[in-house]
C-alpha cells in the first residue's frame, strides 16, 4: 500500500501541473562516466539466508553477499538483487563496481534498533556530528572510497523507519547525530535511480566528497513535520546531476553544502558543478532548493531549471552567517513555478548555528553573481526577503522576468544587497532596481542573452519558456 500511495501522489502532482510539459518528459542532462552494461555476475540476497518477512534481521546476509561479490570487482563487477519482500537490516557497506537492484515490490527496511547503525567519526569538514558533539550514526546504505556504484531498480523502496529517530530528536534523548538513509564518501561514478526513499532518520541521500554523481528518477518522501529530513544534499562534491525527482519532506528538498565554519574552511573542498532539472516537491518548513547553511568550503556553478514547488515555506534560499567564510557564487536558477509558497526567494546572512565556539566571527562569506530568472508564482506571501550582512554586501544579485501574485503589503524586504533587475512584479527593492543592461551581462551570471535582449526591447513581455 505504501508504494502505491507514493505513485498515486506523484501522478496527482503531475496531473495538477500537466500544462507544464517538462514535468512529464525531458532529455537527460546527466552524463554517465561509466558504462551502463549489465554486470557479468549476479546473486540474490536470499542465497545468503535473507528472509523478507519484515521481522528477521538481515544485516549479516547483506554483509556476506557483498563480501562474496567483492571477488568480482576486477572481473567486470557484480549485481546484488533484492526480490519482492520486506528486508529488515542494519547498516551495510557497498563496494566498487556494484549494482544494488531492488525489485518493484522489494522494500529494504532500516532497523529500529540504534545498535544496528554503528557510530562513526564525524566528517572532517564538520568537526563533529551535525546535531551533537562527537561521532554520528552511519547511514543505512554506506560506502567510501568507491568507484562505479549503482543503486537502482524497478521503483523498489528503501524505508528508513525514521519515526523512532525523530522522537529521540524531539525529546532530546539522542546520544549521537542521526544517520542518513544513503551516504557515499570520497567516491566517484555514482548512480542512484528509479527508486523510492521514505522516512529517513535524517538527511536522505548524502554524497559527500564525491565526484560524478547522478540522482535520477527518484521519489523521496517523509512526513512534512518530520525534523531535518532533507531530500538530496550534495556536500563538498562536484559534477552532481539531479533530474526528474519528486521530493516531499520535512526540511530542504535539495540542500547544497560544503562544510561548517572553521572545519569546512580548513578542509577546503568546494561543492561545484551542480545541475538540477525537472524537480517537483513541497516542504512546509524549509526551502525547495537551499544553498547552505554549511557552505564554508565554497559553492559555485549551480544550474537549476524547470522547477516546481507548492505548499512550501520557501522556494529558493541561500543560508550563511559570519564565521562561515567560503563563498556562494555563479548560481543560475531559471524556469521556476511556485504555488502556495510563503517566501519565493530568501537570502539569510545571519543564520547562526555554529559547531562550537572556535569559529572566527570575522570569517565573512562572499555571496555574488546569483541570477534568478523566469519565475512565476501564485498565492505567494512575500516575493523576497533578502538579508545580507553588514559590511559584507551580497553582490550582483540579478532578477529577470519574475512575476508573483503576492498577498503581503510589503512584498520585498532587502538589506545589504546589491544587484540588477528587469521585468519584476511586484517591483523589487530599491537596491535591485537598476535595470539590467548589456554592460551588466558579465555581472549577471549566465544570464540568457536572448532574454536580456528581449527584456531591453520590451520590459513588459512575458518570456517564460513553458
Amino acid at each position: 500500500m505504501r508504494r502505491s500511495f507514493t505513485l498515486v501522489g506523484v501522478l496527482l502532482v503531475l496531473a495538477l501541473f500537466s500544462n507544464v510539459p517538462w514535468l512529464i518528459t525531458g532529455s537527460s542532462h546527466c552524463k554517465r562516466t561509466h558504462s551502463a552494461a549489465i554486470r557479468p555476475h549476479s546473486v540474490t540476497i536470499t542465497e545468503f539466508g535473507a528472509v523478507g518477512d519484515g521481522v528477521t534481521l538481515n544485516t549479516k546476509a547483506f554483509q556476506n553477499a557483498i563480501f562474496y561479490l567483492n571477488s568480482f570487482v576486477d572481473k567486470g563487477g557484480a549485481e546484488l538483487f533484492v526480490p519482492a519482500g520486506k528486508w529488515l537490516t542494519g547498516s551495510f557497506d557497498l563496494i566498487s563496481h556494484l549494482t544494488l537492484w531492488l525489485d518493484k515490490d522489494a522494500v529494504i527496511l532500516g532497523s529500529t534498533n540504534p545498535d544496528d547503525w554503528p557510530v562513526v567519526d564525524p566528517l572532517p569538514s564538520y568537526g563533529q556530528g551535525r546535531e551533537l558533539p562527537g561521532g554520528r550514526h552511519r547511514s543505512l546504505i554506506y560506502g567510501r572510497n568507491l568507484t562505479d556504484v549503482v543503486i537502482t531498480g524497478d521503483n523498489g523502496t528503501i524505508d528508513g523507519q525514521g519515526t523512532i529517530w525523530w522522537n529521540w530528536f524531539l525529546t532530546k534523548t539522542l546520544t549521537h547525530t542521526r544517520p542518513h538513509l544513503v551516504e557515499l564518501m570520497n567516491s566517484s561514478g555514482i548512480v542512484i535511480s528509479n527508486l523510492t526513499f521514505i522516512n529517513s532518520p535524517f538527511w536522505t541521500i548524502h554524497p559527500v566528497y564525491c565526484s560524478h554523481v547522478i540522482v535520477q528518477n527518484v521519489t523521496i518522501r517523509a512526513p512534512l513535520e518530520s525534523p531535518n529530513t532533507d531530500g538530496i544534499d550534495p556536500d563538498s562534491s562536484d559534477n552532481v546531476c539531479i533530474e526528474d525527482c519528486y521530493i516531499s519532506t520535512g526540511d530542504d528538498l535539495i540542500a547544497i553544502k560544503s562544510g561548517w565554519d572553521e572545519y569546512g574552511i580548513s578542509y577546503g573542498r568546494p561543492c561545484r558543478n551542480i545541475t538540477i532539472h525537472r524537480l517537483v516537491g513541497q516542504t512546509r518548513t524549509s526551502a525547495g532548493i537551499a544553498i547552505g547553511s554549511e557552505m564554508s568550503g565554497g559553492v559555485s556553478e549551480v544550474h537549476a531549471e524547470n522547477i516546481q514547488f507548492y505548499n512550501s515555506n520557501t522556494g529558493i534560499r541561500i543560508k550563511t552567517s559570519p564565521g562561515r567564510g567560503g563563498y556562494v557564487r555563479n548560481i543560475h536558477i531559471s524556469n521556476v513555478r511556485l504555488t502556495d509558497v510563503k517566501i519565493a526567494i530568501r537570502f539569510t546572512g545571519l543564520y547562526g548555528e555554529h559547531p562550537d565556539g572556535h569559529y572566527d566571527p570575522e570569517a565573512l562569506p562572499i555571496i555574488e553573481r546569483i541570477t534568478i530568472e523566469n519565475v512565476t508564482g501564485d498565492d505567494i506571501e512575500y516575493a523576497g526577503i533578502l538579508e545580507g550582512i553588514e559590511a559584507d554586501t551580497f553582490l550582483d544579485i540579478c532578477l529577470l522576468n519574475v512575476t508573483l501574485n503576492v498577498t503581503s503589503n510589503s512584498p520585498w524586504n532587502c538589506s545589504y544587497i546589491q544587484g540588477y533587475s528587469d521585468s519584476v512584479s511586484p517591483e523589487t527593492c530599491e537596491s535591485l532596481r537598476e535595470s539590467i543592461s548589456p554592460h551588466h551581462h558579465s555581472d549577471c551570471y549566465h544570464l540568457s542573452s536572448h532574454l536580456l535582449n528581449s527584456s531591453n526591447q520590451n520590459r513588459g513581455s512575458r518570456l517564460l519558456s513553458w
Side-chain angles (χ1 to χ4, degrees):
M1 290 296 294
R2 178 177 292 148
R3 181 180 166 274
S4 297
F5 176 80
T6 301
L7 181 58
V8 170
V10 175
L11 291 175
L12 286 174
V13 171
L14 295 180
L16 181 63
F17 302 110
S18 59
N19 61 318
V20 187
W22 52 260
L23 288 175
I24 301 172
T25 61
S27 61
S28 175
H29 293 77
C30 299
K31 306 300 181 184
R32 299 198 178 193
T33 57
H34 295 85
S35 71
I38 297 175
R39 306 291 190 188
H41 307 280
S42 179
V43 297
T44 301
I45 191 63
T46 53
E47 297 176 46
F48 297 85
V51 179
D53 59 4
V55 177
T56 304
L57 187 66
N58 295 296
T59 311
K60 285 294 183 184
F62 277 98
Q63 292 172 339
N64 290 339
I66 290 172
F67 179 80
Y68 169 76
L69 293 177
N70 195 48
S71 62
F72 300 104
V73 165
D74 59 352
K75 300 178 179 65
E79 175 186 281
L80 175 57
F81 177 69
V82 182
K86 294 183 177 180
W87 310 91
L88 183 69
T89 181
S91 174
F92 61 90
D93 287 69
L94 303 181
I95 56 174
S96 293
H97 307 295
L98 174 75
T99 296
L100 176 64
W101 181 281
L102 276 68
D103 178 80
K104 65 183 178 64
D105 293 317
V107 182
I108 293 179
L109 292 172
S111 169
T112 57
N113 182 347
D115 292 338
D116 294 326
W117 308 66
V119 175
V120 296
D121 290 337
L123 294 169
S125 58
Y126 283 71
Q128 66 164 54
R130 183 57 182 84
E131 298 178 301
L132 292 166
R136 61 207 181 95
H137 287 279
R138 195 174 72 174
S139 63
L140 183 67
I141 299 175
Y142 178 78
R144 61 184 304 169
N145 303 320
L146 305 181
T147 301
D148 179 25
V149 174
V150 179
I151 304 171
T152 190
D154 187 17
N155 198 34
T157 299
I158 300 174
D159 183 351
Q161 299 202 102
T163 301
I164 191 168
W165 296 94
W166 308 333
N167 290 338
W168 288 331
F169 172 79
L170 294 171
T171 57
K172 302 184 187 303
T173 53
L174 285 170
T175 55
H176 298 93
T177 292
R178 288 174 286 162
H180 310 309
L181 201 50
V182 177
E183 182 179 74
L184 297 168
M185 295 177 56
N186 294 302
S187 299
S188 65
I190 307 301
V191 177
I192 301 173
S193 67
N194 304 323
L195 291 173
T196 295
F197 299 85
I198 62 176
N199 301 324
S200 177
F202 197 34
W203 306 344
T204 305
I205 298 175
H206 185 223
V208 57
Y209 320 141
C210 288
S211 296
H212 300 289
V213 177
I214 294 172
V215 182
Q216 189 176 57
N217 298 321
V218 304
T219 295
I220 299 175
R221 287 192 300 109
L224 294 175
E225 67 276 8
S226 57
N228 312 111
T229 50
D230 293 16
I232 305 168
D233 288 10
D235 197 342
S236 292
S237 294
D238 60 85
N239 298 299
V240 177
C241 185
I242 300 166
E243 66 179 16
D244 299 309
C245 295
Y246 173 78
I247 307 176
S248 174
T249 64
D251 209 316
D252 297 323
L253 307 185
I254 292 179
I256 301 169
K257 302 175 179 289
S258 66
W260 201 7
D261 286 6
E262 69 271 23
Y263 303 103
I265 295 171
S266 176
Y267 195 78
R269 174 152 182 177
C271 208
R272 59 185 181 86
N273 294 336
I274 311 298
T275 301
I276 303 166
H277 287 97
R278 298 181 299 277
L279 171 69
V280 181
Q282 63 171 332
T283 169
R284 288 182 188 160
T285 62
S286 300
I289 295 176
I291 299 176
S293 73
E294 310 89 336
M295 38 63 65
S296 302
V299 175
S300 67
E301 283 71 52
V302 175
H303 297 261
E305 65 179 21
N306 297 342
I307 309 297
Q308 173 74 62
F309 300 132
Y310 65 98
N311 187 32
S312 294
N313 182 275
T314 304
I316 308 300
R317 190 174 187 187
I318 295 175
K319 301 180 281 188
T320 188
S321 186
R324 289 289 192 270
Y327 55 84
V328 175
R329 62 165 64 103
N330 297 349
I331 311 298
H332 182 260
I333 300 174
S334 67
N335 291 7
V336 180
R337 177 70 180 146
L338 305 175
T339 304
D340 189 18
V341 173
K342 182 178 180 181
I343 306 168
I345 304 167
R346 186 171 189 182
F347 298 169
T348 305
L350 300 175
Y351 192 79
E353 286 196 358
H354 303 286
D356 52 39
H358 302 304
Y359 70 94
D360 178 6
E362 301 300 319
L364 299 178
I366 299 170
I367 312 297
E368 61 184 4
R369 304 186 77 219
I370 315 295
T371 296
I372 301 175
E373 59 178 323
N374 287 357
V375 181
T376 62
D378 292 311
D379 197 13
I380 309 298
E381 186 170 350
Y382 298 98
I385 300 178
L386 310 181
E387 301 168 335
I389 301 172
E390 187 174 5
D392 184 28
T393 298
F394 295 0
L395 300 174
D396 297 332
I397 310 303
C398 299
L399 306 178
L400 174 65
N401 291 335
V402 177
T403 302
L404 304 169
N405 294 322
V406 175
T407 60
S408 171
N409 292 326
S410 300
W412 294 90
N413 187 331
C414 302
S415 58
Y416 311 115
I417 296 287
Q418 176 274 327
Y420 315 97
S421 64
D422 254 312
S423 299
V424 175
S425 176
E427 187 177 28
T428 187
C429 44
E430 186 173 352
S431 59
L432 296 177
R433 285 181 189 168
E434 183 176 350
S435 295
I436 300 173
S437 62
H439 72 271
H440 293 141
H441 199 272
S442 61
D443 299 325
C444 296
Y445 177 68
H446 210 263
L447 191 67
S448 302
S449 297
H450 71 282
L451 293 176
L452 177 63
N453 293 335
S454 298
S455 176
N456 288 334
Q457 294 168 9
N458 184 2
R459 297 278 175 86
S461 64
R462 291 283 301 275
L463 298 173
L464 297 176
S465 64
W466 49 71

